[in-house]
Amino acid sequence: MKKIMLCAVSIATLLSSSLVGAQTTAQSAAQAFPNKPIRFVVPFPPGGGNDILARALAPKMSEILGQQVVIDNRAGAGGNIGADFVAKSPPDGYTIVIASNQVTMNPWIYSKLPFDIAKDFAPVAQVASVPMLLAIHPEVPATNLKEFIALAKAKPGSLNYSTPGLGTPQHIAFEVFNFDAGVKVTHVPYKGTSPSIVDLIGGQVQATLGTMASLDQHVKSGKVRPIAVSTPQRSPAMPDIPTIEEGGLKGYNVPLWYSVLAPANTPKDIVAKISASIRDALKDPQTKAQLERQGFVESYLDPEQMSALITKDLAYWQKAIQNIGLKLD
């Protein structure tokens, strides 16, 4: 009996020591983080909102963390390829992704996704939000939203709009616009923001919903005509441009927000460290001014707040996308 009791005590001691050892190892890993460069995945080609934000944040994050934060553009499948790459990466904090709120839209427009946004990621932070700008080619005979809607109703199917790809927030936002306005402007998806705007400027498409950062220079040069923003409030970056709601579509509200995500099971201390570097980078006057010039509104949320927002948005977009009846497979 004594041998059995001694054996039980020994096992308990070993288990206790193992748990303490595991905790110490996890703490040591978190304290040592980062000891090599961090891969910051942008799931779209250069030039879009995700890319602009990541490149604005990376230098200051590198300075704060003491390791280089390297931008890695992995485009394709409306952002799903880059996001899936991060979801399947080791949960050690060395691979993160900048994702827009399409991650809360895509589960409802695709019957099969290679990842589960609620299970396969650890939310790190919300970075910024930005109104989307409804812009048209200057030769389109409309100077405001009401005239554009009237034109679309008078010539059903004759107008096209461009986006960075299927399932992107720009795509969903325009389909919500089509539904609310009772029109059918035809979607033309591109492989990224830049080519979608190039064809708008060239007149191959007549309209787009894009980030202010991607359209600002073309608005100033007169190559595109802005007619409305997608949020209930006007943008400080373009205060003269009315909202879509002001244009007659009551209740229309499709903001574009950007978050940083890590693989699920990334240690909380490491997530907190990355999140703090983002928070502090956003406080940097030079970084803040750069983002404001491009229409971004700094809107930092910590990991817990970001997790709550994802849960809320998943429920919102499930209902909204069911209403418009959009499915991509």
Side-chain angles (χ1 to χ4, degrees), residues 39-120:
R39 186 198 305 261
F40 200 174
V41 173
V42 176
F44 290 96
N50 302 60
D51 186 70
I52 291 168
L53 271 174
R55 292 181 189 278
L57 289 172
K60 201 65 185 177
M61 289 175 65
S62 299
E63 182 183 319
I64 294 165
L65 292 168
Q67 287 288 341
Q68 189 176 8
V69 177
V70 182
I71 304 299
D72 182 3
N73 292 87
R74 288 179 177 260
N80 289 331
I81 288 176
D84 186 48
F85 173 78
V86 174
K88 293 177 171 56
S89 294
D92 54 12
Y94 289 101
T95 307
I96 56 177
V97 63
I98 185 161
S100 68
N101 48 337
Q102 76 177 88
V103 295
T104 62
M105 301 172 178
N106 280 356
W108 316 118
I109 56 179
Y110 293 101
S111 58
K112 291 182 180 179
L113 280 175
F115 55 83
D116 185 326
I117 182 60
K119 296 178 181 178
D120 295 336

Side-chain angles (χ1 to χ4, degrees), residues 144-265:
N144 57 49
L145 186 68
K146 288 182 179 179
E147 291 177 358
F148 181 71
I149 291 173
L151 180 65
K153 287 182 175 179
K155 297 181 177 181
S158 65
L159 299 177
N160 300 321
Y161 75 92
S162 63
T163 72
L166 289 167
T168 57
Q170 293 91 330
H171 176 202
I172 307 306
F174 214 112
E175 288 304 314
V176 172
F177 169 79
N178 273 339
F179 180 82
D180 288 355
V183 297
K184 181 57 181 173
V185 183
T186 304
H187 181 213
V188 182
Y190 288 79
K191 293 182 178 180
T193 298
S194 294
S196 75
I197 294 173
V198 167
D199 271 12
L200 173 65
I201 293 169
Q204 284 80 16
V205 294
Q206 289 72 49
T208 197
L209 256 173
T211 63
M212 289 192 168
S214 62
L215 287 165
D216 180 65
Q217 61 178 313
H218 307 301
V219 169
K220 289 175 179 174
S221 68
K223 293 178 180 177
V224 302
R225 178 185 299 149
I227 57 174
V229 296
S230 68
T231 47
Q233 296 80 34
R234 295 191 182 196
S235 168
M238 293 186 185
D240 295 335
I241 308 303
T243 67
I244 288 178
E245 187 172 50
E246 286 177 306
L249 298 188
K250 298 299 180 185
Y252 186 94
N253 177 22
V254 186
L256 182 56
W257 53 252
Y258 297 90
S259 65
V260 174
L261 309 172
N265 301 315

Side-chain angles (χ1 to χ4, degrees), residues 40 52-62 64 98 124-129 258-260 274-292 296-302 305-306:
F40 200 174
I52 291 168
L53 271 174
R55 292 181 189 278
L57 289 172
K60 201 65 185 177
M61 289 175 65
S62 299
I64 294 165
I98 185 161
V124 176
Q126 179 174 279
V127 177
S129 60
Y258 297 90
S259 65
V260 174
I274 300 170
S275 188
S277 77
I278 293 167
R279 178 198 64 208
D280 293 345
L282 289 169
K283 289 180 180 177
D284 174 62
Q286 186 175 348
T287 304
K288 190 171 183 178
Q290 178 184 349
L291 295 180
E292 286 176 352
F296 291 103
V297 178
E298 181 271 316
S299 54
Y300 171 79
L301 295 178
D302 66 26
Q305 293 168 324
M306 190 65 242

